[in-house]
Amino acid sequence: MAVNLKGRSFLTLMDFTPSEIRYMLDLSHDLKAKKRAGISNYILKGKNIVLLFEKTSTRTRCAFEVGALEEGAHVTYLDQNSSQMGKKESLEDTAKVLGRYYDGIEYRGYKQSVVEDLAKYSGVPVWNGLTDVDHPTQILADMLTIEEHVAKPLNKVKVVFAGDTRNNMTYAWMYGCAKMGMHFVAFGPQELAPSKEVMDRVQEVAKETGAIIEFSSDSASVQNADVIYSDVWASMGEEDQIPARVKLLTPYKVTMELLQKTGNPDVIFMHCLPAFHDFETKMAKEWMDKGFDIREVTDEVFRSRHCVAFDEAENRMHTIKAIMVATL
Ligand code: CP
Ligand code: NVA
């Protein structure tokens, strides 16, 4: 059956069928090839989009801006201090106003209910640019990157996520892998295990797609992995928890030894970025001065041939462009 995503919001991969996700990936491959060939069809000419950011961003903001501009759309960027939203005007009223001006709305912030409400009240497609519990545009870019680097169909790929296994990236991966029939291991401490609610939801989908979604604290679970994935140990807004996280997550740091444990010489290392892999950031340096090494991956792994994090970063743009093109 033909896939038509016009007018749809992109709030979580759980809202999409495997064929719809496949369609967005194929469109991403196609738009990437067209960009490489210098071809633009200005598919979004005459469209206006607004980007709402309540948390900081490099990749997601720039990917939306460049992706939209390359296809001929106009972009407005609003950070948390430059609109009335939530302070002088309710979310519902703001959404109703934005829906009168814009053809699509991107939102990055805290609660998932905010993207849901924006979609409910604006009447235009809303795209989730990260919430506390999901980051679906990142997963599309990661799947595209896997298809470029791993010579297997997605449903034969094993991804191991090492670290904070109840953050937005883990949950987004669990949803994506469940939908695409992949093998996913959340590898982290019991104290940070995925919630039962999320595990139950993905197991329901896995029954249909043949996916395997597991949690493990045992490093033997990395065996035969195609992908080792990591993310910061404390997400935006959780910085006060850093000392406790360092204690809990240091055994789950991605090292060459962990990559070797996979038994796969071609295993790839992936990271949504930004990453703490050296002491060239203010945060990593300041915490180290206080006795906490917050690096979730060693510099050796990050700079090795295994790391494809910058290909992933590039693919944010191609996949976000595809999401806008598909839904507008
Ligand atoms: N990966 C990602 O979402 O990066 P930004 O926080 O820079 O947008
Ligand atoms: N878990 C991270 C992802 C950043 C892209 C955070 O929310 O800060």
Side-chain angles (χ1 to χ4, degrees):
M1 211 169 69
V3 171
N4 181 357
L5 300 178
K6 298 286 175 222
R8 291 271 296 276
S9 283
F10 186 85
L11 308 183
T12 171
L13 286 176
M14 287 297 264
D15 291 341
F16 293 88
T17 64
S19 322
E20 289 169 341
I21 296 171
R22 183 69 262 156
Y23 171 85
M24 287 184 275
L25 286 170
D26 289 346
L27 184 59
S28 305
H29 282 293
D30 184 46
L31 291 171
K32 182 170 181 175
K34 286 210 168 82
K35 180 176 161 82
R36 293 266 160 103
I39 301 166
S40 177
N41 295 317
Y42 301 104
I43 303 168
L44 302 178
K45 192 162 181 279
K47 303 286 185 195
N48 294 298
I49 71 164
V50 62
L51 311 179
L52 307 177
F53 278 84
E54 295 193 325
K55 288 177 178 169
T56 51
S57 167
T58 299
R59 278 144 291 271
T60 309
R61 173 187 175 174
C62 298
F64 269 100
E65 291 210 16
V66 174
L69 292 169
E70 283 190 351
E71 291 299 333
H74 292 274
V75 181
T76 304
Y77 172 79
L78 296 175
D79 67 25
Q80 63 186 39
N81 299 316
S82 53
S83 82
Q84 315 282 22
M85 184 169 113
K87 294 185 286 284
K88 284 180 73 180
E89 193 164 40
S90 68
L91 182 61
E92 178 178 345
D93 293 356
T94 306
K96 285 175 176 166
V97 172
L98 294 177
R100 300 286 179 118
Y101 299 158
Y102 293 99
D103 300 287
I105 300 171
E106 181 276 356
Y107 171 82
R108 165 174 287 199
Y110 298 87
K111 292 188 187 147
Q112 185 74 9
S113 62
V114 175
V115 271
E116 289 164 359
D117 285 347
L118 284 170
K120 181 169 158 195
Y121 296 117
S122 68
V124 297
V126 171
W127 309 297
N128 182 353
L130 179 146
T131 63
D132 286 345
V133 294
D134 212 333
H135 196 8
T137 64
Q138 178 72 49
I139 299 303
L140 217 55
D142 295 343
M143 287 180 177
L144 189 76
T145 312
I146 290 173
E147 293 192 323
E148 291 170 342
H149 285 277
V150 180
K152 284 180 184 177
L154 288 177
N155 64 358
K156 297 275 182 286
V157 170
K158 176 175 176 178
V159 177
V160 178
F161 181 101
D164 176 9
T165 54
R166 60 173 183 200
N167 75 3
N168 42 16
M169 277 309 309
T170 311
Y171 288 168
W173 258 122
M174 287 166 75
Y175 301 143
C177 286
K179 287 283 176 174
M180 299 312 275
M182 298 168 72
H183 185 175
F184 179 80
V185 181
F187 168 52
Q190 190 63 49
E191 292 88 334
L192 295 172
S195 76
K196 184 175 177 316
E197 187 211 332
V198 172
M199 208 33 127
D200 288 349
R201 283 182 74 199
V202 297
Q203 296 304 357
E204 277 303 305
V205 178
K207 272 188 221 155
E208 303 284 315
T209 63
I212 301 170
I213 313 288
E214 304 173 297
F215 167 76
S216 175
S217 300
D218 183 353
S219 64
S221 65
V222 304
Q223 212 179 5
N224 297 325
D226 298 292
V227 179
I228 300 287
Y229 201 103
S230 194
D231 184 14
V232 291
W233 288 345
S235 291
M236 288 179 271
E238 295 181 338
E239 286 75 8
D240 59 327
Q241 295 177 43
I242 284 177
R245 293 288 170 86
V246 169
K247 202 165 158 228
L248 276 175
L249 292 171
T250 297
Y252 301 88
K253 189 190 288 281
V254 178
T255 60
M256 274 298 177
E257 197 194 345
L258 190 75
L259 296 195
Q260 277 152 13
K261 273 198 177 172
T262 65
N264 174 4
D266 296 322
V267 62
I268 57 172
F269 170 71
M270 299 182 75
H271 195 301
C272 53
L273 303 180
F276 293 119
H277 59 91
D278 57 18
F279 296 100
E280 297 302 313
T281 61
K282 194 166 175 270
M283 267 182 78
K285 228 179 294 172
E286 283 179 2
W287 279 105
M288 200 61 239
D289 289 345
K290 291 188 236 170
F292 297 98
D293 180 351
I294 65 171
R295 293 170 307 156
E296 67 274 6
V297 54
T298 62
D299 207 36
E300 188 188 12
V301 169
F302 193 81
R303 294 180 190 278
S304 74
R305 67 179 177 85
H306 299 282
C307 180
V308 299
F310 295 103
D311 290 345
E312 270 179 276
E314 178 190 333
N315 284 339
R316 296 299 307 288
M317 202 283 284
H318 304 298
T319 42
I320 280 174
K321 190 194 269 182
I323 292 165
M324 290 189 287
V325 165
T327 56
L328 288 185

